[in-house]
Amino acid sequence: MDTKSTPTIASLYDLTLADGLPVQSDGREIRYRTVRLRETNIFDEREAQKVAERVVTVGGQPRLMVSDADFRYALTLRHVDWMECDGNKLHSAVLGDDVLGKLSSHDLGLIEKRVFLLTLAAEVRYGNMTQEQFDAVMCGQEVKPTQAPQPVGPTTGMGANAAEPESGPTLLATYAGAGAPGAAQSDAA
């Protein structure tokens, strides 16, 4: 097998930008084109939410609102771990809105597409999506949803036997997994 042409998981995290991030260094402009992405966590989501919060007056009252577009932009930028040019790295600690705001819209789109791919790959890894569903999304095909959970326990025969009511205490006892005191007496009444 030719490993040079076969993509690896590590290569999902590396991205080469078309235009690069322009930075002035020693009186000349250099462009950071290599980006290393990372998966985000709850802390990153909270930080992106803070960036996207705005105070808006609604009906004369100030309300704290979160802009969906600003949240998506902030969370996308939180996926950037570092950028590299000629062996020099700019780590995420120094990459803020003022620096990453210099990216071209094309390069931002490339990062967004890769973040989407990383998110889908994580869904497959955690078992929330099958490989077939992943492949269908990547090929632009319609993804058929998996079957909904099937009823078990007291609701197993609800389709055919929906007209046969079951008393509350019996239903509760079955659901709880043990006979409830007085359940049989309530059924007899």
Side-chain angles (χ1 to χ4, degrees):
M1 179 165 97
D2 182 16
T3 58
K4 291 181 182 178
S5 63
T6 305
T8 63
I9 290 295
S11 68
L12 287 176
Y13 296 94
D14 295 328
L15 176 65
T16 302
L17 301 177
D19 299 320
L21 177 69
V23 175
Q24 293 294 323
S25 176
D26 296 331
R28 63 184 181 99
E29 182 179 272
I30 60 172
R31 294 190 175 261
Y32 285 79
R33 293 186 194 274
T34 304
V35 178
R36 168 61 59 97
L37 300 173
R38 65 181 181 88
E39 290 184 19
T40 56
N41 55 31
I42 298 299
F43 175 76
D44 292 311
E45 289 183 18
R46 292 289 301 143
E47 290 300 308
Q49 181 178 354
K50 289 176 187 175
V51 168
E53 290 176 339
R54 304 284 182 265
V55 176
V56 178
T57 304
V58 178
Q61 297 293 322
R63 304 273 186 216
L64 186 62
M65 306 290 274
V66 176
S67 165
D68 289 339
D70 289 343
F71 174 77
R72 188 176 60 251
Y73 172 75
L75 189 58
T76 297
L77 296 184
R78 301 244 356 140
H79 279 84
V80 176
D81 194 18
W82 48 259
M83 299 183 85
E84 183 179 29
C85 176
D86 297 332
N88 296 321
K89 290 184 181 178
L90 293 175
H91 291 277
S92 61
V94 297
L95 293 174
D97 278 343
D98 54 335
V99 175
L100 290 172
K102 296 176 184 177
L103 285 172
S104 69
S105 58
H106 178 73
D107 283 347
L108 179 61
L110 291 174
I111 293 172
E112 287 175 335
K113 286 179 184 177
R114 186 59 61 93
V115 167
F116 176 73
L117 180 63
L118 290 173
T119 302
L120 285 181
E123 291 297 311
V124 173
R125 185 173 60 246
Y126 293 124
N128 298 329
M129 176 185 268
T130 65
Q131 183 66 45
E132 291 78 24
Q133 290 171 322
F134 176 84
D135 293 339
V137 168
M138 296 312 297
C139 293
Q141 299 171 353
E142 183 179 342
V143 178
K144 300 199 185 221
T146 57
Q147 285 189 331
Q150 298 302 308
V152 295
T155 61
T156 51
M158 288 303 285
N161 303 321
E164 298 175 19
E166 191 170 5
S167 72
T170 302
L171 183 62
L172 182 61
T174 305
Y175 178 75
Q185 293 85 1
S186 295
D187 284 341

